[in-house]
């Protein structure tokens, strides 16, 4: 062992040593359908106006620590109830981290699985026990009896429910979430990262349950590069989590750009309409392929399972054809032989479909 690894062993928590870093593949030159980004940029005159706004930024000064105007715009654009407060994060990933950093040591974190990997990853990096409760294998729905039994057994401090779920794309039954809310001894965080595409939300219920928090992000809407997430909840909870937040977590470029974008909500609304239409087209095309099982989606991506091919081989063939999607097969369990494709522009979707059909043919 070198001196360096000796010191690492001596100083760091074993949970951190056991983790692997969140892997992001190099996507340069690929048709990028791996990360649930909105494929559309802004019209040129909008870009010009945006750059004009950025002239007002003062990079020599610390950013606004409160972001009152940005919060007001987020509240208006997201139908956040009167009386609810907002916490802002450098992406909703940071909000997950803030929530978990504030828990008592040993506080249990629970989520259905498969789900968004950061719930587990951040829990483990902070040394918090994480309990994953398996979803139903047929359709990735919540098994309410099993989930309630797990709540009673583990008494979780916090439960994360991605609504709709990533990487499966489905919405959990809202009445099942109501039952979880009724039974949960701790916090319930409904993660609505895909709210623009879902047509369903728990936002209206914030304040109606003192232990319900609803988290969203601008990433999947079309501003992934800005890193802005937010969480709505009762003021008492938000005030506590705000103590854990680092004072300047929203940088000046993000604040100005997000305010600018929220004032042009119609640009994004039109893009979302296009993406929803193209999700429908892509879904219909995929359903004509009989070597796969396609899952319903309420998000801007589609999960599918290969019934007769090896997912890793198909993923590699797509990559060789210049199309990058997400291979979920290495996650194992219920995601064996699964691939996830983000809805792109119509030409990107056609390129994907052509490459996918060709890969299936060549590999049979
Ligand atoms: C993408 C995603 C996030 C993370 O969003 P950021 O704001 O970009 O950090 C959170 N939750 C779910 C379910 C997601 O799919």
């Amino acid at each position: 062992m070198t001196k360096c690894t000796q010191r690492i062993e001596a100083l760091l928590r074993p949970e951190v040593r056991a983790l692997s870093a969140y892997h992001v593949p190099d996507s340069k030159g690929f048709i990028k359908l791996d990360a649930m980004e909105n494929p559309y940029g802004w019209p040129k005159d909008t870009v010009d106006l945006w750059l004009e706004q950025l002239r007002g930024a003062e990079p020599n000064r610390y950013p606004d620590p409160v972001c009152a105007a940005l919060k007001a715009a987020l509240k208006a654009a997201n139908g956040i109830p009167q009386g609810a407060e907002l916490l802002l994060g450098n992406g909703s990933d940071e909000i997950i981290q803030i929530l978990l950093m504030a828990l008592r040591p040993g506080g249990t974190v629970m989520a259905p699985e498969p789900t968004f990997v950061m719930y587990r990853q951040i829990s483990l990096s902070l040394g918090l026990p994480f309990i994953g409760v398996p979803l139903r294998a047929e359709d990735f729905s919540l098994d309410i009896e099993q989930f309630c039994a797990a709540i009673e057994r583990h008494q979780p401090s916090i439960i994360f429910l991605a609504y709709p779920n990533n990487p499966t794309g489905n919405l959990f039954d809202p009445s099942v979430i109501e039952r979880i809310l009724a039974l949960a001894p701790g916090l319930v965080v409904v993660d609505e990262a895909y709210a623009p595409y879902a047509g369903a939300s728990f936002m209206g219920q914030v304040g109606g349950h003192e232990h319900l928090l609803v988290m969203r992000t601008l990433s999947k809407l079309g501003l992934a590069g800005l890193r802005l997430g937010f969480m709505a909840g009762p003021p008492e909870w938000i005030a506590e989590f705000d103590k854990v937040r680092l004072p300047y977590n929203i940088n000046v470029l993000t604040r100005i750009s997000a305010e600018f974008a929220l004032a042009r909500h119609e640009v994004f609304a039109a893009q979302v309409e296009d993406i929803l239409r193209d999700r429908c087209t892509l879904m219909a095309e995929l359903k004509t392929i009989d070597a796969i099982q396609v899952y319903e989606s309420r998000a801007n991506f589609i999960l599918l399972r290969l019934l007769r091919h090896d997912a890793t081989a198909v993923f590699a063939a797509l990559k060789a054809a210049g199309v990058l999607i997400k291979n979920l097969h290495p996650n194992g369990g219920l995601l064996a032989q699964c691939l996830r494709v983000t809805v792109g522009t119509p030409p990107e979707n056609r390129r994907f479909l052509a490459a996918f059909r060709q890969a299936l043919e060549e590999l049979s």
Side-chain angles (χ1 to χ4, degrees):
M1 233 197 281
T2 67
K3 269 203 162 137
C4 189
T5 39
Q6 262 172 12
R7 259 185 229 229
I8 288 171
E9 284 290 338
L11 296 180
L12 300 192
R13 276 182 281 117
E15 305 91 86
V16 174
R17 297 278 285 138
L19 285 173
S20 1
Y22 188 81
H23 172 67
V24 180
D26 183 7
S27 59
K28 209 161 183 287
F30 286 96
I31 292 184
K32 193 170 184 313
L33 303 176
D34 66 327
M36 285 79 90
E37 291 144 331
N38 172 340
Y40 300 106
W42 298 348
K44 184 182 176 301
D45 53 338
T46 309
V47 171
D48 290 340
L49 285 169
W50 169 53
L51 294 176
E52 205 45 53
Q53 287 289 309
L54 289 178
R55 280 181 181 281
E58 293 187 294
N60 55 316
R61 303 290 179 197
Y62 280 107
D64 177 349
V66 181
C67 297
L70 175 55
K71 283 184 185 167
L74 286 168
K75 283 183 181 173
N78 288 276
I80 294 170
Q82 291 288 325
E85 249 328 310
L86 273 191
L87 179 80
L88 303 186
N90 185 346
S92 41
D93 287 349
E94 191 192 34
I95 295 179
I96 300 167
Q97 189 182 48
I98 289 172
L99 285 164
L100 298 183
M101 282 195 301
L103 292 187
R104 288 177 185 255
T108 297
V109 183
M110 186 178 285
E113 274 194 322
T115 191
F116 186 49
V117 293
M118 295 313 285
Y119 309 143
R120 174 189 280 274
Q121 176 95 358
I122 298 172
S123 300
L124 297 185
S125 74
L126 292 170
L128 296 167
F130 178 90
I131 307 289
V133 184
L135 291 168
R136 284 211 189 86
E138 317 86 80
D139 57 0
F140 298 113
S141 62
L142 271 169
D143 181 336
I144 186 61
E145 300 315 324
Q146 201 185 350
F147 207 87
C148 288
I151 291 175
E152 292 195 320
R153 170 137 183 255
H154 298 284
Q155 297 291 308
S157 297
I158 189 162
I159 297 171
F160 286 100
L161 298 168
Y163 185 77
N165 191 35
N166 171 14
T168 58
N170 59 311
L171 267 184
F172 299 132
D173 180 345
S175 69
V176 168
I177 297 185
E178 295 284 354
R179 273 190 65 188
I180 292 172
L181 273 165
L183 191 66
L187 282 168
V188 177
V189 179
V190 177
D191 179 351
E192 298 188 348
Y194 300 94
Y197 309 99
S201 174
F202 274 80
M203 193 60 93
Q205 301 206 37
V206 171
H209 303 270
E210 51 74 28
H211 61 316
L212 169 66
L213 299 167
V214 173
M215 192 165 72
R216 288 190 182 179
T217 172
L218 298 188
S219 295
K220 291 12 187 288
L221 175 67
L223 299 166
L226 294 188
R227 308 302 298 131
L228 184 68
F230 52 101
M231 182 174 73
E236 296 89 335
W237 280 114
I238 299 296
E240 295 301 323
F241 293 121
D242 209 40
K243 300 174 190 170
V244 180
R245 182 181 64 84
L246 295 175
Y248 302 112
N249 65 333
I250 308 304
N251 74 70
V252 61
L253 300 180
T254 295
R255 180 183 60 74
I256 294 175
S257 305
E259 284 175 12
F260 175 84
L262 288 165
R264 278 154 198 80
H265 208 259
E266 69 287 350
V267 174
F268 295 93
Q271 293 176 347
V272 165
E273 282 307 309
D274 285 348
I275 292 165
L276 289 175
R277 179 202 59 207
D278 298 331
R279 176 180 79 191
C280 198
T281 310
L282 182 57
M283 179 70 81
E285 288 287 336
L286 286 169
K287 280 183 174 168
T288 66
I289 303 173
D290 62 4
I292 62 172
Q293 181 177 4
V294 190
Y295 295 92
E296 288 307 320
S297 169
R298 298 289 289 268
N300 63 339
F301 62 84
I302 295 174
L303 182 79
L304 56 93
R305 191 190 305 275
L306 296 157
L307 302 174
R308 306 204 268 278
H309 298 75
D310 175 48
T312 299
V314 173
F315 169 78
L318 281 166
K319 210 170 162 189
V323 182
L324 185 65
I325 63 167
K326 177 79 177 176
N327 180 13
L328 293 161
H329 183 64
N331 298 39
L334 296 182
L335 295 173
Q337 304 302 350
C338 283
L339 298 173
R340 185 191 66 196
V341 58
T342 303
V343 180
T345 64
E348 288 176 335
N349 299 336
R350 285 194 292 273
R351 279 278 302 275
F352 158 73
L353 280 166
F356 185 56
R357 286 201 171 96
Q358 187 166 1
L360 294 184
E361 193 159 315
E362 279 170 10
L363 293 164
S364 23

